[in-house]
Amino acid sequence: MTFTVKPVAPDRLPDLLRQMPKAELHIHIEGSLEPELIFALAERNGVRIPYANVEALRSAYAFTNLQSFLDIYYAGASVLLREQDFYDMAHAYFVKAAQDNVVHAELFFDPQTHTARGVSMETVVNGLHRACVDAQKELGVSASLIMCFLRHLSEEDAFASLEQAMPFREKIVGIGLDSGEVGNPPEKFASVFARCRELGFHLVAHAGEEGPPAYIWTALDVLGVERIDHGVQAIKDPALMQRLAKDRVALTVCPLSNLKLCVFPDLTSHNLRKLLDAGLAATVNSDDPAYFGGYMNDNFTRTFAATGMTAQHAYTLACNSFEASFISAQAKAGHIALLDACFEGFN
Ligand code: ADE
Ligand code: ZN
């Protein structure tokens, strides 16, 4: 990174954060389902949801930890039945992403949540993929799909899901690992990740969101992942911090998620600035924006306001997001040139 960032007055920083081009690398597409769309899809599909209205559902979004969120998140996803539902959900996300100057997005999806309810892998993947194609055409946002295994289920279940996905191999760029972390360490999925590596998928995993640094070590050394999703607990282990910095392992950090799920008591205490200042390749992401109170630019502006980060941090975060993405070297260079131009021309 050779670009010199000019100082920016604190009152101008939010505008710069909003305007700069950026990539989103940690968004669960089912976590972008806004209550309004949940109710619209429930009606369209004749699915009953146990809340009287949008306001009642939204007021249930008071979480104490990851599991308290996951219970509501999986219930919300139950309204998704047809290919068009998956398309509509992803399309709504892409419209918001484009408004936030997200120019590239890598979307997590949880097929086991849907196949367990009798929705086919084909329905899920084709609906999401069609929305990705249209996002490029209509909004200029490039996008790809990362299929996640639910870690509270068995490795055998993950293998079955992988098998179902094979006819759609070309529509999936990578494999991830999500859901309840504590008690479900990465090494539980060693064999299925080894198979995914042989198949040529990019590999990522949630680790160190609520779970210990040991889970980050095994995600790296047993699963062989290229990025760590969250990873904020790495701060507890100096040797791990050195390893992550030395190998430039990207962390897809999600500040408003961490706040809502009580990983940090307030945003001022969030360790994103410390991770960056220690030389780690951290990025900013929204995780489940419909549930956590903000999309990309909300994550940026609120976290910068709370931690006093600077324009230099902003540049580093946006640059890291492109460097850590699964796009070609040429596409990365193109995005970074536009990022440089944005900072150059900002006043
Ligand atoms: N699935 C959706 N959001 C998640 C999160 N923050 N952690 C683990 N699994 C998830
Ligand atoms: Zn996540």
Side-chain angles (χ1 to χ4, degrees):
M1 209 183 300
T2 52
F3 187 78
T4 312
V5 176
K6 294 180 292 191
V8 171
D11 65 325
R12 297 288 294 125
L13 196 50
D15 272 347
L16 177 62
L17 293 166
R18 285 189 274 264
Q19 283 174 29
M20 68 181 186
K22 50 189 79 76
E24 172 144 59
L25 306 178
H26 186 157
I27 159 81
H28 300 263
I29 199 58
E30 295 91 344
S32 73
L33 260 186
E34 292 287 347
E36 289 78 6
L37 188 52
I38 292 182
F39 271 86
L41 293 176
E43 189 165 18
R44 182 158 104 187
N45 290 331
V47 175
R48 217 195 75 75
I49 35 177
Y51 295 91
N53 51 41
V54 164
E55 290 69 39
L57 178 55
R58 201 167 255 126
S59 65
Y61 295 176
F63 311 117
T64 50
N65 57 21
L66 175 58
Q67 193 57 51
S68 66
F69 154 69
L70 290 171
D71 294 340
I72 282 204
Y73 162 83
Y74 293 128
S78 69
V79 299
L80 297 159
L81 291 183
R82 302 183 204 294
E83 190 189 303
Q84 190 63 36
D85 305 338
F86 290 89
Y87 178 95
D88 291 345
M89 169 175 67
H91 184 72
Y93 163 73
F94 286 128
V95 169
K96 301 242 192 211
Q99 286 166 357
D100 282 0
N101 290 311
V102 170
V103 293
H104 174 71
E106 298 180 1
L107 274 50
F108 293 140
F109 69 107
D110 287 337
Q112 289 156 297
T113 304
H114 313 301
T115 52
R117 298 179 290 111
V119 177
S120 73
M121 183 69 82
E122 181 180 18
T123 298
V124 178
V125 176
N126 285 348
L128 296 178
H129 183 259
R130 188 159 56 85
C132 291
V133 171
D134 287 355
Q136 177 72 76
K137 279 197 298 221
E138 292 171 15
L139 300 163
V141 177
S142 63
S144 52
L145 298 174
I146 298 178
M147 178 173 104
C148 290
F149 298 133
L150 297 179
R151 69 202 303 160
H152 67 273
L153 301 179
S154 67
E155 187 177 50
E156 195 186 351
D157 218 304
F159 266 114
S161 198
L162 177 61
E163 193 67 37
Q164 290 161 15
M166 285 318 289
F168 314 102
R169 168 70 188 86
E170 296 313 312
K171 295 178 177 170
I172 299 170
V173 73
I175 297 294
L177 184 66
D178 65 3
S179 193
E181 184 182 10
V182 174
N184 296 299
E187 53 271 31
K188 178 176 163 187
F189 296 90
S191 304
V192 72
F193 267 69
R195 179 70 188 129
C196 292
R197 167 189 296 281
E198 283 171 5
L199 291 166
F201 287 105
H202 285 288
L203 303 178
V204 300
H206 282 54
E209 178 183 13
E210 288 183 340
Y215 286 17
I216 302 177
W217 283 109
T218 53
L220 294 172
D221 292 337
V222 179
L223 302 189
V225 301
E226 296 156 76
R227 301 195 299 241
I228 296 288
D229 297 313
H230 293 292
V232 291
Q233 303 300 336
I235 204 116
K236 295 177 176 161
D237 181 340
L240 177 58
M241 291 286 281
Q242 284 196 354
R243 161 82 184 275
L244 294 168
K246 177 174 74 65
D247 290 350
R248 297 290 299 159
V249 177
L251 302 186
T252 62
V253 176
C254 308
L256 291 181
S257 162
N258 295 153
L259 180 66
K260 269 286 201 181
L261 301 188
C262 307
V263 174
F264 296 94
D266 47 52
L267 269 186
T268 315
S269 322
H270 198 284
N271 66 13
L272 175 62
R273 183 178 186 153
K274 292 197 181 77
L275 298 172
L276 283 175
D277 291 346
L280 273 64
T283 62
V284 165
N285 305 271
S286 71
D287 206 5
D288 300 283
Y291 293 89
F292 298 151
Y295 287 76
M296 281 291 268
N297 284 353
D298 303 314
N299 272 275
F300 273 103
T301 53
R302 289 185 57 190
T303 309
F304 271 66
T307 60
M309 286 192 288
T310 64
Q312 179 64 59
H313 291 106
Y315 180 84
T316 302
L317 286 163
C319 194
N320 288 347
S321 75
F322 295 122
E323 298 276 15
S325 69
F326 298 142
I327 56 180
S328 70
Q330 195 189 355
K332 287 181 189 183
H335 287 306
I336 293 169
L338 290 173
L339 176 66
D340 291 357
C342 171
F343 274 69
E344 197 71 60
F346 186 80
N347 52 44

